[in-house]
Amino acid sequence: MKIVLLGAPGAGKGTQAKALSEKLSIPHISTGDIFRANIKGNTPLGIKAKGYIDKGELVPDELTVEIVKDRLANPDCEKGFILDGFPRTIPQAEYLDKVLNNMKIDLDATLLINVDDKDIIERMSGRRTCPNCGASYHVVFNPTKVEGVCDVCSTPVIQRPDDAAETVLNRLETYHKQTQPLISYYEKAGKLKVAQGADEVDETTARVFKALGI
Ligand code: AMP
């Protein structure tokens, strides 16, 4: 299946993308993860992207679309893929349509994980991430088995710098202004499916699978 995940920052796209990736054996493509890997590696892309990300703003489209195009050309995407965090603007969605059209690929679905702003703020303040393997946790809703340490690779988990309170508000504002219009974009295209985000990760996963009919 070829799936786009939509939703506010902190709605659980990354967590659900991993569940979908395992269930369907297709790659999880997160532009946020790609940027963070580039920042960690101090690459030219990482250096350019860091300033925007730290402020809670979007990285400009022209820096973002090329990395997605390259990634989709990888043979592991032939069976399908889950795009998490891309597209985030109408021009990015139009670009994606063009790229997929050229590849003779049709999206199966765009799945919106719907979560209220109030819950988003609560979730993001409790979110912890592994700086080594990227695994994501929440101090209340999805805690690590051993406090403060990643279940997968035992690295101490951290709060992402852009999950700090003032940046979260900026990211939410950015989401409403620039990304939310994609909901009607995909609705008009007849591709939109919706799953209400729940506090429990497994419950959200069940709703996501149901919405996608898998
Ligand atoms: P995420 O991990 O998806 O929340 O992404 C973290 C940050 O990376 C976002 O707040 C943006 O600054 C940047 N980013 C990720 N994906 C995109 C995108 N498709 N377009 C622009 N900026 C992005």
Side-chain angles (χ1 to χ4, degrees):
M1 279 183 99
K2 288 96 182 169
I3 304 166
V4 164
L5 286 185
L6 269 185
K13 297 189 298 296
T15 305
Q16 297 308 326
K18 282 196 182 70
L20 284 167
S21 168
E22 274 167 29
K23 167 125 178 148
L24 300 170
S25 302
I26 52 177
H28 164 203
I29 303 171
S30 155
T31 40
D33 284 350
I34 295 172
F35 286 134
R36 281 185 287 279
N38 277 274
I39 291 172
K40 204 169 163 192
N42 231 354
T43 68
L45 175 67
I47 292 164
K48 282 186 209 149
K50 186 174 182 335
Y52 299 99
I53 292 177
D54 284 351
K55 278 188 274 184
E57 291 171 9
L58 293 185
V59 178
D61 289 343
E62 56 277 18
L63 290 179
T64 309
V65 295
E66 289 303 321
I67 60 174
V68 175
K69 184 178 169 197
D70 289 350
R71 184 64 189 83
L72 289 176
N74 199 301
D76 69 340
C77 291
E78 271 165 23
K79 265 177 57 194
F81 51 81
I82 300 143
L83 277 173
D84 157 20
F86 184 93
R88 260 179 157 102
T89 64
I90 295 279
Q92 287 182 12
E94 289 170 348
Y95 182 88
L96 178 64
D97 283 348
K98 220 166 51 191
V99 168
L100 294 179
N101 211 14
N102 285 341
M103 294 171 82
K104 306 216 173 346
I105 288 177
D106 205 15
L107 276 182
D108 292 291
T110 299
L111 180 84
L112 169 69
I113 304 178
N114 204 17
V115 178
D116 292 344
D117 278 12
K118 168 175 89 31
D119 295 337
I120 290 286
I121 292 167
E122 184 185 325
R123 280 171 181 223
M124 285 170 90
S125 60
R127 183 153 81 169
R128 298 292 179 269
T129 316
C130 175
N132 182 47
C133 74
S136 190
Y137 303 94
H138 188 281
V139 290
V140 179
F141 304 128
N142 180 29
T144 52
K145 292 198 180 90
V146 177
E147 198 184 330
V149 176
C150 178
D151 294 352
V152 182
C153 69
S154 301
T155 306
V157 294
I158 56 160
Q159 182 174 49
R160 259 168 54 178
D162 60 339
D163 281 348
E166 56 299 349
T167 314
V168 166
L169 293 180
N170 268 347
R171 291 171 71 196
L172 259 182
E173 197 184 320
T174 303
Y175 171 75
H176 288 303
K177 273 202 203 130
Q178 292 182 265
T179 308
Q180 217 170 0
L182 293 181
I183 297 174
S184 49
Y185 180 91
Y186 284 115
E187 201 169 22
K188 276 184 205 139
K191 299 266 184 226
L192 190 74
K193 312 238 185 264
V194 183
Q196 188 65 31
D199 284 345
E200 292 296 327
V201 171
D202 291 350
E203 199 178 330
T204 309
T205 304
R207 292 176 187 175
V208 164
F209 287 2
K210 190 168 174 221
L212 291 172
I214 57 175

